[in-house]
Amino acid sequence: MQFDQKTSVTYQEQFELPFFNYYLKGKGDFKASEANIFITGSNQWKTFEKWPPQEVEDKKLYLQPQGKLGFGQVKRTDSWDEYVSDPNKPVPYQAGIMESRTREYMIDDQRFASSRPDVMVYQTEPLAADLTIVGPIKNFLKVSTSGTDADYVVKLIDVYPSNSPSFNNKVMDGYQMLVRGEIMAGKYRNGFEKAEAMQPGFVTSIDYTMPDVAHTFKKGHRIMLQVQNTWFPLAERNPQQFFEGYEATASDYRKATHRIFHDVNNSSYIQFTILK
């Protein structure tokens, strides 16, 4: 990705070197803000006296029918997406075949995943103005499964507009850049102290927080969420059958039918804060 500046040089010269000069050599002064953040997307350094920042506005993005994502709650009472996840054919975390994990996976084009039938995709309309998300992202999913356990992966993605120029042999037209991704096992939905089986066919809440971000979705871009149940081999496969520990054998890994709900009584959404 192009960040329009040498971020590591800025970090070394403005933060790292003054810090060591002051604390190790007694030279100069070091009065850093509570948080010095490089915001990707807008590609700007920002300083904040508190983190997460205080001058923010809470927002919720709701999963909606027909793969849509919007700031309004669905009013229907019967709205969900249904699909089958097979741990024996897991969703990879990166396209291609590699000897080891590359650092590029962190911003890899997610189009390879969005075309799979076991990855649910939701996206907004093109944004009318820049939108900067800062701080943690909270996921609130309403789901069901035909099994007794499942993993839930949520990926936040920046979708580039159709007129984006290519560079470094990368086609940026419609590029789906991974901004943040995180996984949660259904059996730990109520806490990591005790594993609990999921009840087949019943609507279940899977709520968890993803690590902080500082990213600007530019005007004309789209915000996308991808929801899936495998992320191999970045995360170990879930057999989709409940085990308190990790004693599953090969025959225990089974297909399961999943539903993601997005109706007035069972809203699935993410919650985050944006800079005012």
Side-chain angles (χ1 to χ4, degrees):
M1 302 306 297
Q2 290 180 318
F3 295 125
D4 300 333
Q5 57 184 288
K6 296 179 179 179
T7 55
S8 59
V9 173
T10 302
Y11 176 73
Q12 291 162 4
E13 293 180 349
Q14 295 187 16
F15 305 112
E16 203 168 42
L17 183 59
F19 173 87
F20 286 123
N21 278 337
Y22 181 69
Y23 285 105
L24 298 185
K25 296 184 176 182
K27 294 181 179 180
D29 197 3
F30 185 75
K31 294 181 179 179
S33 299
E34 171 69 15
N36 302 278
I37 305 294
F38 184 78
I39 299 180
T40 53
S42 60
N43 296 339
Q44 296 175 325
W45 284 96
K46 296 282 188 182
T47 60
F48 301 96
E49 294 309 315
K50 290 184 179 295
W51 187 267
Q54 302 298 298
E55 297 298 318
V56 295
E57 181 181 352
D58 290 329
K59 289 286 186 181
K60 293 180 181 179
L61 265 177
Y62 291 90
L63 280 59
Q64 298 177 344
Q66 299 176 325
K68 295 182 179 180
L69 190 65
F71 293 102
Q73 188 177 18
V74 176
K75 301 303 181 184
R76 289 171 50 180
T77 58
D78 57 346
S79 186
W80 66 79
D81 290 305
E82 183 176 284
Y83 61 99
V84 174
S85 177
D86 184 354
N88 294 302
K89 298 179 180 179
V91 180
Y93 75 99
Q94 189 173 14
I97 300 173
M98 288 67 146
E99 278 191 343
S100 59
R101 185 173 64 186
T102 69
R103 65 180 183 176
E104 284 78 16
Y105 90 92
M106 292 184 285
I107 48 89
D108 211 15
D109 192 342
Q110 297 298 304
R111 279 180 284 198
F112 77 92
S114 62
S115 61
R116 289 179 58 116
D118 53 355
V119 177
M120 296 295 100
V121 180
Y122 307 88
Q123 64 178 338
T124 65
E125 294 297 321
L127 297 175
D130 290 0
L131 186 148
T132 300
I133 297 179
V134 288
I137 299 168
K138 298 179 181 179
N139 299 323
F140 297 91
L141 300 179
K142 294 290 187 180
V143 301
S144 70
T145 176
S146 61
T148 51
D149 189 22
D151 286 343
Y152 293 90
V153 179
V154 174
K155 296 186 294 188
L156 176 68
I157 294 165
D158 186 340
V159 182
Y160 280 56
S162 58
N163 59 353
S164 299
S166 301
F167 76 95
N168 289 347
N169 296 317
K170 283 189 176 182
V171 177
M172 302 303 293
D173 185 334
Y175 194 82
Q176 297 178 6
M177 188 186 83
L178 181 63
V179 175
R180 179 66 75 235
E182 189 60 283
I183 186 170
M184 171 59 73
K187 65 183 178 183
Y188 294 127
R189 64 194 180 277
N190 294 321
F192 292 109
E193 296 82 8
K194 182 181 178 182
E196 299 180 45
M198 299 176 68
Q199 192 168 355
F202 277 74
V203 179
T204 305
S205 296
I206 306 292
D207 304 337
Y208 65 99
T209 301
M210 297 201 286
D212 295 26
V213 301
H215 181 78
T216 297
F217 292 84
K218 300 288 287 183
K219 177 182 178 180
H221 289 223
R222 297 172 186 258
I223 301 175
M224 174 183 285
L225 289 182
Q226 291 182 5
V227 183
Q228 58 200 56
N229 303 98
T230 49
W231 208 15
F232 188 76
L234 198 62
E236 183 181 28
R237 295 174 302 146
N238 188 314
Q240 304 192 125
Q241 309 299 314
F242 176 72
F243 291 89
E244 285 198 27
Y246 295 91
E247 63 273 12
T249 62
S251 61
D252 294 318
Y253 289 81
R254 304 174 189 173
K255 295 180 182 179
T257 299
H258 298 273
R259 284 184 176 182
I260 300 174
F261 293 86
H262 34 66
D263 60 56
V264 67
N265 298 314
N266 298 291
S267 295
S268 295
Y269 62 93
I270 64 168
Q271 183 174 327
F272 51 86
T273 55
I274 62 171
L275 284 180
K276 290 185 178 179

